């Protein structure tokens, strides 16, 4: 399709979103390389989910620009919805709620394939089988309704459905947050393998630093709608410069963890950005 | 062991408030009524219009006339069987028309542009101010007696009731995450609304339609009773009650009571089924959450 095959797949500049007088995000810039994985971390209300929703066209940015494969997709339009969908897809936090409860998993996976013209009935059936195989869903899982699957299986199904569209960018909004830790690891490994196999890029929105450390190359730390620190994931998380990043890291329960000290540091940080 | 059994049974009864007996009974009764309407020519012992002044106002249980006769000697059972046809078909038509219209209005209001919602919601508010029967009587006054005018009028009068329910259900369903996920996948709002949202509303709509059927049956029977609905020689249960008025004054109310009780039982049966449908919708909703 259109767009260049070189250069960053996603380029965001000066993104701003306000709801009335409330500022959700302000001045977010970042670049996502082809096949790369970018983490956006921050506490709830930091604007990371709003950013993700603007990327996929669920929200309209107040200002700024989103370039997807060199193409300006800042303003979502009904006309371009299908074209944008082919480039960028999203996995939601609760996969259960992102399926039509009446449809079986394979029907749900087949639907976007039909919309985006992936061939006749037989070819689509074959593609669905391949996708299910790719994410580790059995034939029985595929024939089941979403409510009969476990959380991990549903998230695999959601990944299969999004991958069928063959997007260049996959936005994962707290995609493993609702899963058990052991299932989280499985899904993260799966995502990692898919990225290597297909060359898709990830935007990983998460509050979980362990997830971000495992799944991303670069990371943005957001607080109150603004990016406070960014850089290589390993570097930012092992040697954080901004006090908020240090606080986030200190907030992770670990041996020698001191909740009281974290709370005190949080209080000390708060007036600084109010002033 | 003997102690646990009553405890289990009590819990089951509490969950199924109406109990399966009432629901099954209602379904069986309605099936009988529908079969009677369809097979009226086979089942009716007499022509519904055959008068016999010698046999007028026979009480129910008379030989040859199971439910008695009316003041002109027509067989009440035969008239009841034939009358079932218009008594059921007319409200069915009203329910179908108002459901189609109401679904269209409700979906556009819930999922369309904001101005459409404002326009449709305000129009529905105004429409609520008109009593449906009054509207139907007005239509009869303008277009003349007969079934067509009141059916059209009631269909229009019921539309805002359906529309308001559909709108609120569609707004609720539209806030579910799957609707957003379809938008991200590139599906149009119209497609998602018709192919995913509407089918998920269908059970609730069926329950609503069953209740509307009961109302329509009563409203149309009322109009026929007032002489504004079906016109002779056609008849329905409402006009049977109306024609039994002189007999009531003579102290022989049987030919009015029989169709009256039939209307009552039919409406109760439909409402029971509708309520059952509605409650099972609620149950699956809770399981979903």
């Amino acid at each position: 399709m259109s767009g260049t095959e070189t250069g960053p797949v996603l380029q965001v500049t000066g993104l701003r979103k306000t709801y009335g007088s409330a500022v959700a995000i302000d001045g977010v810039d970042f670049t996502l390389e082809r096949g790369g994985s970018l983490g956006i971390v921050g506490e709830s209300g930091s604007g990371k989910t709003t950013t993700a929703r603007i990327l996929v066209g669920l929200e309209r940015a107040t200002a700024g620009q989103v370039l997807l494969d060199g193409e300006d997709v800042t303003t979502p339009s009904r006309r371009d919805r299908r074209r944008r969908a082919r480039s960028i897809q999203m996995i939601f936090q609760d996969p259960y709620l992102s399926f039509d409860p009446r449809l079986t998993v394979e029907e749900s996976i087949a639907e976007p394939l039909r919309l985006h013209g992936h061939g006749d009935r037989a070819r689509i059936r074959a593609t669905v089988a391949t996708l299910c195989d790719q994410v580790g869903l059995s034939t029985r899982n595929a024939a089941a309704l979403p409510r009969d699957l476990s959380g991990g299986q549903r998230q695999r199904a959601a990944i299969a459905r999004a991958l069928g569209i063959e997007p260049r960018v996959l936005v994962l909004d707290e995609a493993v947050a609702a899963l058990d830790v052991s299932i989280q690891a499985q899904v993260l490994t799966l995502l990692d393998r898919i990225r290597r196999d297909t060359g898709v890029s990830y935007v990983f929105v998460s509050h979980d630093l362990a997830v971000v450390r495992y799944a991303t190359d670069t990371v943005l730390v957001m607080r109150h709608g603004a990016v406070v620190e960014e850089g290589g994931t390993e570097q930012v998380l092992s040697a954080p410069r901004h006090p908020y990043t240090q606080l986030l890291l200190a907030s992770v329960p670990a041996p020698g963890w001191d909740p009281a000290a974290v709370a005190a540091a949080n209080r000390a940080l708060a007036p600084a950005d109010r002033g | 062991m003997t102690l646990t059994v009553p405890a289990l049974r009590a819990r089951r009864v509490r969950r199924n408030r109406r109990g399966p007996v009432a629901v099954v009974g209602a379904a069986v009764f309605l099936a009988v009524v529908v079969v009677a309407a369809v097979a009226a020519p086979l089942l009716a012992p007499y022509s519904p219009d055959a008068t016999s002044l010698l046999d007028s106002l026979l009480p129910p249980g008379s030989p040859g006339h199971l439910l008695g006769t009316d003041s002109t000697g027509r067989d009440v059972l035969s008239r009841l069987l034939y009358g079932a046809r218009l008594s059921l078909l007319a409200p069915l038509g009203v329910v179908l028309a108002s459901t189609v219209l109401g679904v269209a209005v409700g979906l556009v209001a819930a999922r369309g542009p904001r101005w459409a919602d404002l326009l449709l919601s305000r129009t529905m508010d105004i429409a609520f101010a008109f009593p449906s029967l009054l509207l139907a009587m007005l239509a009869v006054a303008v277009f003349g007696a007969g079934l067509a005018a009141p059916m059209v009028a009631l269909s229009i009068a019921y539309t805002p009731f359906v529309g308001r329910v559909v709108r609120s259900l569609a707004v609720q369903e539209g806030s579910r995450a799957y609707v957003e996920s379809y938008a991200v996948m590139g599906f149009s709002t119209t497609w998602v609304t018709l192919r995913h949202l509407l089918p998920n509303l269908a059970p609730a709509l069926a329950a609503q339609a069953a209740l509307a059927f009961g109302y329509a049956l009563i409203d149309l029977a009322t109009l026929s009773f007032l002489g504004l609905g079906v016109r002779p020689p056609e008849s329905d249960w409402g006009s049977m009650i109306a024609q039994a008025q002189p007999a009531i004054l003579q102290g022989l109310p049987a030919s009015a009571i029989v169709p009256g009780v039939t209307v009552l039982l039919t409406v109760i049966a439909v409402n029971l089924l509708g309520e059952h449908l509605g409650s099972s919708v609620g149950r699956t909703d809770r399981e979903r959450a």
Side-chain angles (χ1 to χ4, degrees), chain A residues 76-155:
Chain A
S77 79
R78 288 190 171 199
R79 199 164 43 86
D80 292 335
R81 193 188 266 185
R82 205 186 298 187
R83 214 146 62 95
R84 180 199 207 108
R86 262 179 267 216
S87 299
I88 189 161
Q89 278 301 307
M90 180 154 167
I91 305 287
F92 293 85
Q93 171 167 7
D94 188 339
Y96 183 29
L97 300 174
S98 64
F99 284 96
D100 183 334
R102 288 179 315 115
L103 299 189
T104 66
V105 167
E106 55 194 352
E107 283 167 345
S108 284
I109 297 174
E111 258 190 311
L113 297 177
R114 276 198 297 275
L115 176 76
H116 294 283
H118 283 240
D120 57 15
R121 191 180 288 261
R123 248 197 79 196
I124 284 177
R125 192 175 309 153
T127 312
V128 170
T130 314
L131 286 167
C132 287
D133 191 46
Q134 200 177 353
V135 299
L137 282 178
S138 70
T139 326
R140 187 192 289 190
N141 295 153
L145 289 173
R147 68 158 170 267
D148 297 324
L149 296 186
S150 69
Q153 288 165 337
R154 284 176 203 145
Q155 203 57 295

Side-chain angles (χ1 to χ4, degrees), chain B:
Chain B
M1 278 312 270
T2 43
L3 276 175
T4 57
V5 174
L8 275 174
R9 191 169 294 166
R11 201 189 305 157
R12 189 171 304 162
V13 167
R14 220 177 306 140
R15 200 171 51 188
N16 255 337
R17 239 174 339 120
R18 289 291 173 195
V21 177
V23 173
V24 169
V28 168
F29 179 79
L30 282 182
V32 168
V33 171
V34 169
V35 168
V38 172
L42 298 174
L43 296 173
Y46 301 92
S47 156
D49 304 318
T51 57
S52 165
L53 289 177
L54 288 175
D55 296 327
S56 71
L57 291 174
L58 291 175
S62 306
H65 297 284
L66 197 59
L67 292 178
T69 57
D70 68 4
S71 50
T72 54
R74 295 176 295 192
D75 181 52
V76 170
L77 176 61
S78 304
R79 292 182 63 68
L80 200 65
L81 292 171
Y82 276 95
R85 301 179 144 191
L86 282 182
S87 302
L88 297 180
L89 272 182
L92 190 67
V94 169
V95 166
L96 286 179
S98 58
T99 300
V100 169
L101 284 174
V103 164
V105 167
L107 287 183
V108 170
R111 307 273 299 150
R114 184 158 299 190
W115 60 262
D117 184 25
L118 272 176
L119 184 75
L120 291 171
S121 292
R122 288 299 87 77
T123 312
M124 285 195 279
D125 289 344
I126 294 167
F128 276 121
F130 292 99
S132 49
L133 260 184
L134 213 60
L135 203 68
M137 288 160 84
L138 200 71
V140 172
V142 174
F143 299 107
L147 258 185
M151 275 179 69
V152 170
L154 285 183
S155 301
I156 293 170
Y158 285 7
T159 296
F161 288 92
V162 182
R164 192 163 66 168
V165 170
V166 170
R167 184 187 170 278
S168 74
L169 285 173
V171 165
Q172 197 189 355
E173 190 74 18
S175 68
R176 288 183 189 273
Y178 78 83
V179 174
E180 272 191 348
S181 80
Y182 275 99
V184 172
M185 284 188 281
F187 291 98
S188 71
T189 306
T190 314
W191 201 91
V192 177
T193 302
L194 294 179
R195 293 294 296 272
H196 294 284
L197 219 132
L198 186 55
N200 278 303
L201 300 184
L205 284 178
Q208 176 75 12
L211 296 180
F213 182 89
Y215 284 116
L217 200 150
I218 289 180
D219 278 356
L220 285 163
T222 306
L223 286 166
S224 291
F225 174 76
L226 294 173
L228 302 171
V230 297
R231 299 219 290 175
E234 287 184 325
S235 73
D236 65 1
W237 297 336
S239 61
M240 284 177 72
I241 301 173
Q243 287 159 14
Q245 272 175 306
I248 297 174
L249 295 178
Q250 291 174 37
L252 295 166
S255 57
I257 287 174
V258 169
V261 167
T262 311
V263 168
L264 188 72
L265 289 178
T266 308
V267 171
I268 289 175
V270 168
N271 282 357
L272 268 177
L273 279 187
E275 197 179 280
H276 177 70
L277 271 177
S279 68
S280 52
V281 170
R283 199 153 48 235
T284 51
D285 240 26
R286 243 172 287 132
E287 279 166 9
R288 229 196 260 174

